[in-house]
């Protein structure tokens, strides 16, 4: 994806990362409470109480506690319907419960034993969201005075060590929530304590220092909110530094701290931690997680997280420290478990998925911006004992029903789209590892598809418009079959290939698309009132399709209306002048250019990387002006790229309108067919290959279609992005912030948009430097490099790879260890400078001089190429290995003919802070 919004990445990190429990907090409004009993007067525990507003605009639920009582707060004034249900009983219902602001209404109910017929009827209805009784107990934790009002521990110098983090509770009290399914899942500490954390790797120590100017964190705190499913409670009870008691004096404050934490999680961080907790309660064999919100004295918004199943935002790493603060937000440190480092098993290739999705069968209808769809998901279980399957689904798409393969309804979790809307399916029985299952998810909603006016639509969620595997960062490779119905006059362009022509169903068109036998990491579609052009390119073997809209999106139409107002006669009868031709913008004029760009790109990349399994590629207009993105066989192009250069310059100014982005966005996005889709990445540590290799691919397009001068301009522009500070990177030089393997974490509140300014250009430079090393000045040219890249694709076809996988392929084709190169350029942050002082004597046939490498560590090694120009461009004469800050003399080197000049790194062969060639 070209020019992604990094601010959104940082926000998404906070939203997706926190696998912590969350329940309803107190709020303003009225309250309803009551007690539920059976016909014999005994209390009913675990009954589900649902309160619905008169128009269904507010629905809240609660579960009766151990005394059969319930309480629901925060209700707007009005008349409500209360329904109480419990397994084995008939429902109790009252439709006229009046709620007043600040008042309490009471509804006590006696549930009658259900007849057999009633029980059958209830079980045949579709399961309601969030109705699981254990889940409801988790949601209501902290609502009753019994929570945190029972057992507590007075502690003195109690030490809780979790991997690299040490929490020392010097003096204070620990309060515990009530048990659920026999397990306590949260605690609140009030007192005086200290957290120390020192990351286990040099890279993570460096990243931590960006936030606190130190490689080790020491933070004093006055309270902690701890959420856990591990053995924390047992450890505290067994410690001589903890004395257990009941009814501690600060129970009310502990409860308030917990409720504030609930409100933060639900309403600000939008993460449903109960779903994660439920997974462990229903799979008690798991080791459990340990998450802490830290009320620090200096940094008050820190969170420490440890989860053996991996942390979504930094998966497959299991340990992280992060902040959700405005000025210091980001992942401060993330790493694997200490035991994995000791055993040498820590790797970005670790697989923490619970399931492996193999097939999506999606059937949907589009009306306006409303999507109504079902997805029958086939998956293989990877872990025995799993009952809760978390899935990623865009929050505005609301699930109405989940069924198993036999059509039986399954319980599921999905809270309000404005709060913690994470989606998960609850199975009645644990999964068996290796066994294949099917579930069908029905869902619908607005918001995922945006109408930009005049038949221009854009699909907002890239990989979550259908239920995706929550155990992956991008997507779970699967076969996709899609059938969509939509209004006449529109086109639906999907991933894969169409299965026959469109058909009609009344007033709707029906399109069927399939990936065939090729698994895709992600599927998508474009949709709108398109016109289509296509060319079958016999050389590459691809059908090149372009889809463009003849009508302009609203934001451009608004500009045109402003121009029309200015240029129309005013009150004095004289029209104004804008000096533009923007009133006659057409999207069709650049359609042929889009075809040509795609055609040339596919030919070049076939030559360098090998042919793909696809037979077509669609270049489609999207109503977003400043970024492109790619799905398999489908490219989203910014609509401004469909405007001719003159009008683009009038719209954006000369500099913005003629920026190389518009010229190279298509080659970049086309190359993602290879880098990101056919060859994916294991984790965020490896995503640099997708974006970096795509940017490198664009350099091939530049060189082979526009010549060496533009090629050198391309690399000089990328070099400046890497070495120069800017307001976009908070005044930091991007290369100093971290290695490319830090991925999106390079961007945070301290570093701004560093990801964009490092991963794209430096990732490209890494592959460019390897190409230059392998280039043969003779007839072979790029042959060795092309063989290597084709091997990389073929040996990793349709799978995700790690940086180490790429390294192995490089070592295979360079026939030697490449630790030195990867340590310096991929895993490192060093940046050399070069100077070449030389003389040409004997009529230009003898070269002498001194090459100096500086600004690096003693172990830094690089192969420095030497070029000569004999009047027809640069010719590579050889290379010199240089180690550390050193100089190498060239003494009277005889040249094959007279040269006019000489240089080191003449083709930007090495990424350097500066390269000076002086005759």
């Amino acid at each position: 994806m070209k020019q992604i919004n990094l601010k959104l990445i940082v926000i998404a990190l906070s939203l997706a990362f926190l696998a912590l429990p969350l329940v309803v907090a107190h709020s303003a409004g009225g309250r309803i409470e009551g007690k539920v009993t059976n016909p014999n007067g005994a209390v009913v525990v675990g009954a589900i109480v649902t309160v619905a507003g008169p128009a269904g605009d507010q629905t809240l639920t609660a579960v009766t506690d151990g005394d059969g009582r319930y309480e629901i707060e925060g209700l707007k004034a009005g008349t409500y319907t209360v329904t109480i249900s419990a397994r084995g009983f008939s429902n109790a219902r009252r439709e006229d419960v009046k709620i007043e602001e600040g008042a309490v209404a009471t509804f006590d109910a006696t549930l009658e034993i259900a007849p057999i017929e009633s029980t059958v009827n209830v079980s045949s209805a579709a399961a309601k969201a969030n109705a699981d009784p254990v889940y409801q107990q988790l949601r209501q934790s902290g609502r009753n005075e019994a929570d945190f009002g029972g057992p507590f521990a007075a502690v003195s110098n109690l030490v809780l060590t979790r991997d690299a983090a040490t929490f020392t509770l010097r003096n204070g009290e620990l309060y515990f929530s009530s048990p659920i399914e026999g397990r306590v899942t949260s605690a609140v500490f009030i007192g005086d304590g200290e957290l120390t954390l020192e990351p286990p790797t040099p890279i993570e120590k460096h990243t931590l220092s960006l936030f606190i100017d130190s490689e080790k964190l020491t933070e004093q705190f006055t309270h902690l909110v701890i959420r856990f499913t591990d053995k924390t409670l047992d450890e505290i009870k067994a410690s001589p530094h903890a004395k257990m008691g009941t009814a501690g004096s600060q129970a009310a404050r502990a409860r308030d701290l917990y409720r504030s934490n609930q409100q933060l999680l639900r309403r600000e961080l939008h993460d449903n931690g109960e779903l994660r907790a439920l997974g462990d309660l229903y799979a008690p064999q798991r080791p459990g997680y340990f998450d802490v919100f830290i009320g620090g004295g200096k940094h008050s918004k820190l969170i420490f997280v440890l989860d053996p199943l991996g942390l979504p935002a930094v998966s497959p790493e299991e340990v992280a420290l992060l902040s959700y603060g405005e000025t210091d937000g980001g992942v401060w440190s993330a790493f694997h478990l200490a035991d994995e480092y000791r055993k040498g098993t820590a790797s970005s290739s670790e697989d923490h998925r619970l399931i492996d999705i193999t097939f999506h069968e999606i059937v949907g209808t589009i009306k306006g911006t409303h999507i109504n769809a079902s997805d029958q998901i086939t998956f293989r279980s990877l872990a025995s004992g799993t009952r809760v399957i978390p899935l990623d689904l865009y929050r505005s798409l609301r699930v109405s029903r989940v069924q198993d393969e036999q059509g039986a309804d399954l319980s599921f979790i999905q809270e309000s789209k404005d709060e913690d809307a994470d989606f998960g399916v609850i199975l009645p029985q644990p999964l068996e590892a290796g066994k294949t299952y099917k579930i069908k998810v029905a869902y619908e909603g607005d918001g995922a598809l945006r109408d930009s006016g005049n038949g221009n639509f854009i699909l907002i969620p890239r990989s979550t418009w259908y239920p995706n595997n929550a155990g992956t960062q991008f997507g779970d490779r699967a076969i996709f079959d899609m059938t969509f119905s939509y209004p006449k006059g529109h086109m639906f362009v999907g991933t894969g290939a169409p299965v026959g022509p469109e058909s009609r169903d009344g007033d709707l068109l029906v399109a069927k698309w399939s990936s065939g036998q090729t698994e895709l990491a992600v599927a998508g579609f474009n949709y709108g009132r398109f016109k289509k052009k296509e060319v079958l390119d016999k050389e590459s073997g691809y059908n090149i399709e372009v889809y463009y809209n003849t009508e302009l999106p609203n934001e451009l139409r608004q500009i045109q209306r402003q121009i029309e107002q200015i240029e129309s006669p005013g009150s004095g009868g004289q029209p104004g002048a804008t000096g533009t031709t923007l009133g006659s913008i057409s999207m069709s004029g650049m359609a042929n250019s889009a075809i040509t760009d795609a055609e040339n790109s596919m030919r070049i990349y076939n030559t360098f990387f090998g042919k793909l399994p696809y037979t077509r590629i669609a270049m489609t207009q999207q109503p977003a002006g400043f970024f492109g993105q790619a799905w398999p066989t489908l490219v989203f192009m910014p609509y401004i790229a469909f405007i001719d250069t003159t009008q683009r310059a009038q719209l954006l100014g000369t500099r913005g309108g003629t920026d190389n982005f518009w010229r190279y966005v298509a080659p970049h996005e086309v190359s993602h067919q290879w880098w990101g889709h056919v060859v994916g990445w294991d984790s965020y540590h490896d995503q640099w290959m997708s974006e970096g290799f795509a940017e490198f691919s664009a350099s091939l397009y530049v060189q082979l279609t526009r010549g060496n001068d533009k090629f050198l301009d391309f690399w000089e522009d990328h070099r400046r992005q890497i070495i120069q500070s800017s307001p976009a990177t908070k005044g930091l030089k991007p290369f100093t912030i971290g290695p490319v393997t830090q991925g999106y974490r390079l961007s945070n509140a301290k570093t701004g948009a560093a990801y964009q300014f490092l991963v794209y250009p430096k990732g490209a430079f890494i592959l460019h430097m390897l190409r230059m090393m392998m280039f043969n000045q003779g007839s072979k040219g790029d042959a060795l490099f092309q063989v290597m890249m084709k091997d990389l694709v073929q040996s990793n076809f349709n799978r995700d790879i790690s940086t180490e996988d790429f390294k192995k392929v490089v070592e295979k084709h360079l026939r030697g260890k490449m630790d030195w190169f990867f340590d310096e350029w991929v895993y490192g942050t060093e940046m050399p400078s070069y100077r070449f002082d030389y003389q040409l004597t004997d009529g230009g046939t003898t070269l002498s001089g001194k090459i100096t490498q500086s600004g690096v560590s003693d172990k830094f090694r690089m192969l420095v190429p030497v070029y000569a120009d004999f009047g027809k461009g640069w010719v590579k004469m050889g290379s010199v290995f240089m180690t550390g800050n050193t100089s190498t003399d060239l003494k009277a080197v005889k040249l094959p003919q007279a040269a006019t000049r000489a240089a080191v790194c003449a083709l930007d062969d090495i990424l350097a802070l500066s390269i000076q060639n002086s005759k």
Side-chain angles (χ1 to χ4, degrees):
M1 182 176 184
K2 188 66 170 174
Q3 289 204 354
I4 54 181
N5 187 324
L6 292 161
K7 182 178 180 181
L8 291 181
I9 287 182
V10 175
I11 294 173
L13 163 65
S14 298
L15 304 187
F17 187 63
L18 310 174
L20 307 173
L22 175 64
V23 302
V24 178
H26 284 278
S27 59
R31 184 171 84 242
I32 185 169
E33 61 185 25
K35 184 176 182 179
V36 181
T37 58
N38 67 18
N40 297 322
V43 300
V44 178
V45 178
I48 298 172
V49 183
T50 303
V51 176
D57 57 342
Q58 187 178 22
T59 301
L60 296 174
T61 58
V63 174
T64 55
D65 61 16
D67 296 322
R69 296 190 176 276
Y70 70 91
E71 178 182 299
I72 296 177
E73 297 178 310
L75 296 170
K76 300 176 183 177
T79 302
Y80 288 78
T81 298
V82 182
T83 304
I84 302 176
S85 60
R87 181 172 297 178
F89 295 92
S90 297
N91 290 353
R93 181 182 175 91
R94 178 180 291 179
E95 298 182 349
D96 57 351
V97 180
K98 293 182 179 180
I99 302 295
E100 297 179 357
E101 184 73 21
V104 178
T106 301
F107 174 35
D108 295 328
T110 298
L111 300 185
E112 299 296 332
I113 302 297
I116 295 176
E117 293 81 8
S118 175
T119 302
V120 172
N121 289 337
V122 170
S123 67
S124 65
K128 293 183 178 180
N130 313 316
D132 180 84
V134 177
Y135 174 74
Q136 279 297 327
Q137 290 181 64
L138 288 167
R139 293 290 285 186
Q140 301 302 322
S141 181
R143 294 291 302 274
N144 300 309
E145 291 188 5
D147 289 317
F148 304 101
F152 81 103
V155 299
S156 177
N157 293 318
L158 173 68
V159 177
L160 297 176
T161 300
R162 294 296 184 271
D163 205 83
T166 300
F167 294 87
T168 302
L169 312 186
R170 286 192 286 250
N171 183 44
E173 296 172 340
L174 272 165
Y175 292 84
F176 303 98
S177 62
S178 300
I180 298 172
E181 293 292 284
R183 296 171 67 177
V184 171
T185 60
S186 55
V188 175
F189 169 75
I190 301 171
D192 173 44
E194 179 182 84
L195 164 66
T196 59
L197 184 147
E198 184 173 6
T201 67
I203 291 174
E204 289 302 328
K205 289 179 180 178
H206 171 75
T207 301
L208 180 61
S209 71
L210 293 172
F211 292 93
I212 61 172
D213 296 322
S214 174
E215 294 185 346
K216 181 180 179 180
L217 172 70
T218 301
E219 181 74 19
Q220 311 302 315
F221 56 78
T222 58
H223 66 268
L224 304 174
V225 176
I226 311 172
R227 304 176 182 276
F228 57 90
T229 54
D230 64 359
K231 302 296 184 182
T232 293
L233 179 59
D234 294 340
E235 180 181 349
I236 293 169
K237 286 181 175 180
S239 173
H241 298 280
K243 183 178 180 180
M244 299 300 296
T246 58
S249 61
Q250 299 191 80
R253 186 184 173 203
R255 195 158 45 247
D256 287 343
L257 287 169
Y258 186 79
R259 288 171 175 172
S260 295
N261 185 255
Q262 292 172 338
Q263 187 171 9
L264 166 75
L265 284 166
R266 170 177 289 187
R267 299 180 181 177
E268 295 185 35
L269 301 180
H270 303 289
D271 183 86
N272 188 340
E274 283 90 4
L275 186 57
R276 175 66 187 88
L278 186 70
D280 279 6
L281 293 185
Y282 279 152
Q285 74 280 3
R286 293 178 182 169
Y289 62 82
F290 179 86
D291 303 337
V292 187
F293 284 74
I294 303 157
K298 186 175 182 181
H299 303 100
S300 61
K301 297 183 177 181
L302 288 179
I303 310 170
F304 173 80
V305 191
L306 186 154
D307 192 339
L309 295 184
L311 306 172
V314 292
S315 180
E317 289 161 337
E318 300 91 356
V319 188
L321 176 74
L322 65 136
S323 169
Y324 57 94
E326 290 185 9
T327 60
D328 60 5
V331 180
W332 287 21
S333 190
F335 40 89
H336 292 277
L337 295 168
D339 190 52
E340 294 179 7
Y341 289 114
R342 283 193 295 268
K343 294 178 179 178
T345 58
S347 167
S348 63
S349 297
E350 293 176 28
D351 189 354
H352 289 307
R353 291 177 303 162
L354 299 174
I355 63 171
D356 174 25
I357 296 177
T358 58
F359 184 62
H360 290 271
E361 185 177 358
I362 303 171
V363 178
T365 300
I366 299 173
K367 291 185 178 180
T369 61
H370 192 83
I371 297 175
N372 189 328
S374 67
D375 184 4
Q376 180 164 283
I377 303 167
T378 303
F379 66 89
R380 182 172 59 91
S381 172
L382 300 179
S384 292
T386 300
R387 279 194 58 198
V388 179
I389 303 175
L391 295 167
D392 286 337
L393 184 66
Y394 195 63
R395 62 177 52 249
S396 69
L397 296 174
R398 312 304 295 166
V399 176
S400 59
R401 193 171 196 176
V402 183
Q403 297 171 289
D404 65 13
E405 191 170 1
Q406 287 73 40
D409 286 290
L410 300 176
S411 296
F412 64 93
I413 305 300
Q414 190 186 41
E415 297 290 346
S416 165
K417 66 181 178 64
D418 297 320
E419 295 189 353
D420 49 340
D422 301 340
F423 172 49
V425 177
I426 304 171
L427 303 174
Q429 299 296 328
L431 297 176
E432 299 177 25
K435 189 175 178 180
T436 297
Y437 300 84
K438 290 183 180 181
I439 60 173
K440 185 176 183 179
V441 180
Y443 60 98
E444 64 178 305
D446 295 295
L449 192 64
R450 188 181 71 197
D451 186 352
S452 295
N454 302 307
N456 291 274
F457 295 85
I458 183 170
L459 183 63
I460 302 299
R462 178 174 171 78
S463 58
T464 58
W465 64 270
Y466 57 90
N468 208 335
N469 196 345
T472 63
Q473 289 192 357
F474 182 41
D476 196 354
R477 292 183 182 275
I479 291 172
F480 287 82
D481 282 353
M482 299 187 294
T483 301
F484 267 87
S485 303
Y486 48 92
K488 290 185 292 184
H490 295 70
M491 284 190 180
F492 181 96
V493 188
T495 48
V499 182
E502 293 176 330
S503 60
R504 290 198 175 189
D505 182 7
D507 293 334
L508 299 177
L509 295 176
V510 180
K512 295 184 178 182
W513 290 73
S514 176
S515 66
Q517 297 303 308
T518 302
E519 292 185 333
L520 307 180
V522 63
F525 63 86
N526 204 345
Y527 170 74
R529 289 204 296 264
F530 293 128
K531 297 292 185 181
K532 177 183 177 182
K533 289 187 177 182
E534 61 184 321
V535 171
L536 177 59
D537 181 21
K538 294 182 180 179
E539 181 174 328
S540 67
Y542 291 90
N543 196 62
I544 314 294
E545 305 165 11
V546 172
Y547 296 82
Y548 60 93
N549 198 309
T550 57
E551 298 292 330
L552 304 183
N554 283 340
E555 58 188 25
L556 269 186
R557 286 292 300 132
Q558 183 177 357
I559 293 173
Q560 284 188 327
R561 282 192 290 269
Q562 292 172 350
I563 292 172
E564 290 169 2
Q565 291 174 0
I566 294 171
E567 295 184 342
S568 63
S571 58
Q574 295 296 320
T578 63
T580 75
T581 59
L582 296 177
S584 59
I585 292 176
S586 171
M587 296 296 181
S588 62
M590 298 298 288
N592 289 333
S593 295
I595 288 178
T596 301
D597 287 345
E599 200 169 25
N600 286 332
S601 297
M602 298 301 288
R603 291 177 179 182
I604 293 168
Y605 304 156
N606 275 357
T607 300
F608 274 81
F609 312 136
K611 197 174 184 308
L612 294 176
Y614 317 131
T615 59
R616 55 175 293 278
I617 186 168
M619 311 293 288
T620 66
Q621 174 193 322
Q622 68 169 350
F626 299 96
F627 72 94
Q629 57 183 322
W631 280 274
T633 74
L634 174 65
V635 173
F636 272 20
M637 290 284 289
Y639 73 83
I640 294 180
F642 281 80
I643 300 174
D644 70 49
T645 304
T646 300
Q647 291 177 321
R648 196 162 55 230
Q650 292 172 1
L651 188 65
L652 304 176
T654 301
R655 184 174 180 180
T658 59
D659 190 278
N660 281 332
F661 167 75
W662 309 111
R663 191 182 295 272
Y664 304 146
V665 61
H668 176 102
E669 297 302 340
V670 168
S671 75
H672 274 308
Q673 302 304 305
W674 284 263
W675 314 121
H677 293 304
V678 166
V679 179
W681 66 88
D682 273 337
S683 78
Y684 74 97
H685 287 302
D686 311 300
Q687 190 178 358
W688 71 270
M689 291 183 290
S690 174
E691 297 298 351
F693 288 14
E695 198 71 353
F696 165 82
S697 301
S699 81
L700 296 176
Y701 172 90
V702 174
Q703 185 179 29
L704 296 174
T705 63
R706 304 194 67 201
N708 275 341
D709 288 344
K710 295 297 183 183
F711 176 73
L712 294 177
D713 289 345
F714 179 96
W715 288 115
E716 178 58 22
D717 175 65
H718 282 60
R719 187 184 73 86
R720 287 196 299 266
Q721 291 182 47
I722 298 165
I723 69 169
Q724 292 179 354
S725 60
S726 70
T729 57
K730 305 283 188 176
L732 298 173
K733 295 178 179 178
F735 76 89
T736 67
I737 293 171
V740 293
T741 52
Q742 290 298 83
Y744 76 91
R745 288 180 52 203
L746 291 162
S747 289
N748 54 60
K750 295 290 188 180
T751 62
Y755 173 89
Q756 187 79 28
F757 287 85
L758 191 68
V759 165
Y760 283 68
K762 189 179 179 183
F765 245 113
I766 289 167
L767 195 55
H768 171 66
M769 289 188 285
L770 289 170
R771 179 196 178 197
M772 293 296 100
M773 285 183 198
M774 302 174 76
F775 186 80
N776 184 291
Q777 193 65 53
S779 60
K780 291 185 178 181
D782 281 310
L784 181 59
F785 177 77
Q786 291 173 5
V787 169
M788 180 183 78
M789 297 306 291
K790 289 177 180 178
D791 185 19
L792 177 65
V793 173
Q794 292 168 3
S795 59
N796 297 285
F797 179 79
N798 228 28
R799 59 181 290 261
D800 300 333
I801 67 171
S802 68
T803 300
E804 288 298 300
D805 292 328
F806 172 56
K807 179 185 172 187
K808 291 175 183 177
V809 174
V810 173
E811 290 177 334
K812 172 184 174 181
H813 290 271
L814 286 177
R815 299 182 181 181
K817 300 295 289 181
M818 292 296 288
D819 292 349
W820 61 272
F821 181 87
F822 277 76
D823 288 346
E824 292 158 8
W825 297 109
V826 179
Y827 300 118
T829 61
E830 294 195 65
M831 186 67 61
S833 291
Y834 294 97
R835 182 179 179 88
F836 182 29
D837 296 296
Y838 71 93
Q839 304 86 39
L840 289 169
T841 58
D842 297 334
T845 61
T846 301
L847 173 64
S848 301
K850 177 185 288 187
I851 305 172
T852 300
Q853 176 176 272
S854 61
V856 294
S857 64
D858 292 341
K859 294 183 179 180
F860 184 94
R861 298 177 63 197
M862 196 56 199
L863 193 62
V864 182
V866 180
Y867 288 84
D869 184 355
F870 301 109
K872 295 184 179 181
W874 293 112
V875 177
K876 187 175 180 180
M877 304 307 299
S879 300
V880 178
F881 243 127
M882 304 188 72
T883 303
N885 297 301
T886 187
S887 296
T888 297
D889 291 326
L890 299 182
K891 297 181 179 179
V893 177
K894 293 298 182 181
L895 302 177
Q897 60 189 39
T900 59
R901 54 180 179 161
V904 295
C905 309
L907 298 181
D908 282 310
D909 307 66
I910 300 176
L911 173 58
L913 197 61
S914 68
I915 300 173
Q916 298 179 348
N917 292 290
S918 178
K919 187 175 181 180

